[in-house]
Amino acid sequence: MELEGSGRRVLEVLVPHLSKVVPGKPKTYLGYKYVHEALGLTYLGPAWGESLKKQGLASLADWTYENDLPGITGIIISTGSYEPGKGYFKLFGKDEGDYPWWAEEVRRSKDFNWSPYIQDEFDLKPVDLSSPDREDITVSIIIRDSKLSVKVKALNNECQICSLALEMPAGKKYAEAHHIQPLGEPHNGPDVIENMICVCPNHHAMLDYGAIKLHSENIASKQGHAISEQFIEYHNKNVYQP
Ligand SMILES: [Zn+2]
């Protein structure tokens, strides 16, 4: 059984927090409401725990149980009782209040390598600074999250203009892929790797707004990712505003 999207997103909130969790000390665990808000979910009621269950918590718990993995959902607790929901003990066939077992699951969760189950580096979604409104942002994310942009980011690992890679929680790094001759009207640039550059958010904004010129000799190049001069010329002529 694969871990589906909403469950994986809950896992992604939990894993970076494991280093701060002390097994048997629920005050170091995470509240239902905290996780709910960290994910930006819509409150479905009737309580934070119930709402979170419907939006990933239950699917993550089921997945850990079915795959014989540590019961990581035990680090999500009610901040009133400092205990996980009854369903947590029940799912694993334990008596409600089997605290030694619970602490052991938390300890196993801390020791376990969850990285194969959460997303890779360079997968954070970029915000499209050039979009005039939020409607357009959704559309741009779909385009930018293409296989090609993931490839461009993976090949370069950092801004090709200034070498910056932003350090994010859980050892993730962040950079963005930019189409040098922009996609869509009026530029109609192609979605090909030769038209793409991996940049930091600052340089992405500057390129989107035409604030800087591009010079191929100043762009760090990586094997497998050649930027075509014709797109650089297009940017300098049609996007760049002196
Ligand atoms: Zn940069």
Side-chain angles (χ1 to χ4, degrees), residues 159 161-164 199-200 203:
C159 178
I161 298 173
C162 72
S163 303
L164 181 72
V199 282
C200 67
H203 278 117

Side-chain angles (χ1 to χ4, degrees), residues 120-124 153 157-158 164-176:
D120 299 322
E121 286 182 18
F122 292 98
D123 58 1
L124 293 164
K153 290 184 278 185
N157 302 330
E158 60 186 29
L164 181 72
L166 297 178
E167 305 268 342
M168 290 299 184
K172 290 188 182 189
K173 287 181 181 167
Y174 181 84
E176 298 174 356

